[in-house]
Amino acid sequence: MFIGGYRAVYKFKCDVTVWNRTKSKCDPLISLGATYKASPEEVAAYCDVTIAMLADPNSAVDIACGKNGAANGMGPGKGYVDVSTVDDGTSKLICERIKATGASFLEVLLFFFASPSLAPVSGSKKPAEDGQLIFLTAGDQSLYERVAPLLEIMGKSKFYLGDIGKGATMKLVVNMVMGSMMATFSEGLMLSEKVGLDPSVLVEVISQGAISAPMYRLKGPSMIQSQYPTAFPLKHQQKDLRLALGLAESVSQPIPIAAAANELYKVAKSQGLSDEDFSAVIEALKSKTKE
Ligand SMILES: NC(=O)C1=CN([C@@H]2O[C@H](COP(=O)(O)OP(=O)(O)OC[C@H]3O[C@@H](n4cnc5c(N)ncnc54)[C@H](OP(=O)(O)O)[C@@H]3O)[C@@H](O)[C@H]2O)C=CC1
Ligand SMILES: O=CCCC(=O)O
């Protein structure tokens, strides 16, 4: 019942059928008892509910609607849940194709629940393992109710936001804010060091003040050591900023801070940091500050 990114499914305590483009990434799940199928179409044909988590709009559309795509295996009574972070247009396109088969569709966007007791990680990998995700959902309410018990295995809370597209746009706004916050936090760490302050003290000062955010406390210490263990890949943060810029453009809303942050992530990508955690965006500032 699951295709695409495997990060979020380590502790599914129900029958699971899997497919991933790179089959070896399914191995940990197969060794835990999951069944493997040879294509998204076969997964969808075999399962009542199919959950897809793909990298970006192109792959999400391809896996749902392309050759051997999930839509070919869908039909009345079945449900398709897309957990990829995509724009609302992509979500609507996939929804249309799935619903044409008689199946129902739910878009689900996830982010992590920031508990003060969380281990020093961010992104959704560890929170998924711990069942600490937050889900933003939109689409068929009956499917939302049907998959609620599954979401509750992985998550701490969930929101049903209404029509298709609402979840995607809410997620893009959240991740736009997050990407800008990380970029400016990186600037603060770099500037503090340059002017002879201890960046670890800066993290502590920020953590105790009104601008405190769990993300700073969780990622700051590893950023100071130039360590970026991947929880949320930098390439996906840049993708979300790009999609948020498109969203803003569609309603003529200026978002200059996010636009500037996007440029910094693009520099980091060009430095080969795409698969590092998005906190590696700080590296883009290091190259700029070389004398
Ligand atoms: N990680 C996180 O903390 C969070 C991620 N998200 C969103 O979830 C989605 C997945 O994230 P994550 O799992 O971290 O990302 P990964 O990059 O780890 O996984 C991406 C998945 O997409 C697959 N994929 C990429 N391109 C294609 C393609 N052309 N055809 C088929 N499969 C493809 C990859 O397959 P393969 O293994 O073969 O490369 C892989 O399974 C993204 O949209 C991201 O923005 C949302 C919230 C949090
Ligand atoms: O989109 C993912 C960002 C990290 C998170 O909030 O889980």
Side-chain angles (χ1 to χ4, degrees):
M1 66 178 309
F2 200 92
I3 50 185
Y6 67 104
R7 294 181 187 283
V9 293
Y10 286 115
K11 291 203 174 169
F12 252 15
K13 295 215 170 70
C14 61
D15 290 340
V16 174
T17 301
V18 292
W19 174 86
N20 191 66
R21 180 180 60 177
T22 306
K23 190 193 167 205
S24 59
K25 292 186 183 174
C26 294
D27 290 347
L29 297 172
I30 295 169
S31 69
L32 289 171
T35 304
Y36 176 79
K37 292 284 174 188
S39 69
E41 177 178 352
E42 284 187 32
V43 172
Y46 186 72
C47 298
D48 297 331
V49 174
T50 301
I51 302 178
M53 187 172 189
L54 283 310
D56 54 24
N58 284 344
S59 54
V61 170
D62 193 37
I63 293 311
C65 312
K67 188 168 177 258
N68 302 320
N72 295 323
M74 300 299 298
K78 289 180 181 282
Y80 192 77
V81 179
D82 200 324
V83 192
S84 322
T85 301
V86 297
D87 57 291
D88 62 333
T90 298
S91 195
K92 285 172 184 164
L93 192 151
I94 296 172
C95 173
E96 206 172 288
R97 177 73 182 91
I98 296 292
K99 289 184 73 103
T101 70
S104 47
F105 181 82
L106 190 71
E107 65 178 19
V108 176
L109 291 302
L110 60 88
F111 58 105
F112 78 98
F113 182 83
S115 141
S117 61
L118 262 188
V121 295
S122 186
S124 297
K125 186 176 174 184
K126 183 72 166 60
E129 291 170 0
D130 294 346
Q132 299 277 307
L133 298 177
I134 301 173
F135 296 102
L136 307 174
T137 74
D140 284 315
Q141 194 158 6
S142 59
L143 182 56
Y144 169 73
E145 280 153 19
R146 191 170 158 197
V147 300
L150 302 178
L151 299 182
E152 279 155 17
I153 294 171
M154 297 183 284
K156 186 99 180 167
S157 63
K158 54 191 186 315
F159 298 84
Y160 178 74
L161 302 175
D163 293 340
I164 282 294
K166 297 281 187 221
T169 49
M170 178 72 90
K171 173 68 177 171
L172 290 184
V173 173
V174 170
N175 276 22
M176 177 198 79
V177 173
M178 184 175 77
S180 301
M181 283 171 65
M182 180 55 79
T184 196
F185 180 57
S186 298
E187 289 181 341
L189 288 176
M190 292 304 298
L191 180 60
S192 66
E193 196 174 1
K194 268 267 161 91
V195 298
L197 297 171
D198 182 345
S200 329
V201 177
L202 174 73
V203 173
E204 192 52 36
V205 169
I206 287 178
S207 298
Q208 292 194 21
I211 63 164
S212 169
M215 182 175 83
Y216 298 145
R217 184 176 54 78
L218 297 177
K219 290 191 187 272
S222 54
M223 291 169 74
I224 290 166
Q225 292 169 25
S226 305
Q227 300 291 316
Y228 315 107
T230 310
F232 181 48
L234 185 141
K235 65 186 174 192
H236 292 329
Q237 176 61 82
Q238 194 274 320
K239 175 251 311 175
D240 293 347
L241 280 164
R242 175 170 56 78
L243 295 176
L245 285 165
L247 179 66
E249 174 80 23
S250 73
V251 292
S252 301
Q253 174 59 48
I255 50 169
I257 308 290
N262 183 45
E263 293 306 313
L264 205 56
Y265 286 94
K266 281 162 66 180
V267 171
K269 271 176 70 176
S270 73
Q271 294 174 330
L273 299 167
S274 288
D275 292 318
E276 299 289 317
D277 189 69
F278 75 112
S279 51
V281 71
I282 192 173
E283 292 291 329
L285 295 166
K286 288 181 188 174
S287 63
K288 278 184 180 171
T289 54
K290 272 186 192 144
E291 283 160 13

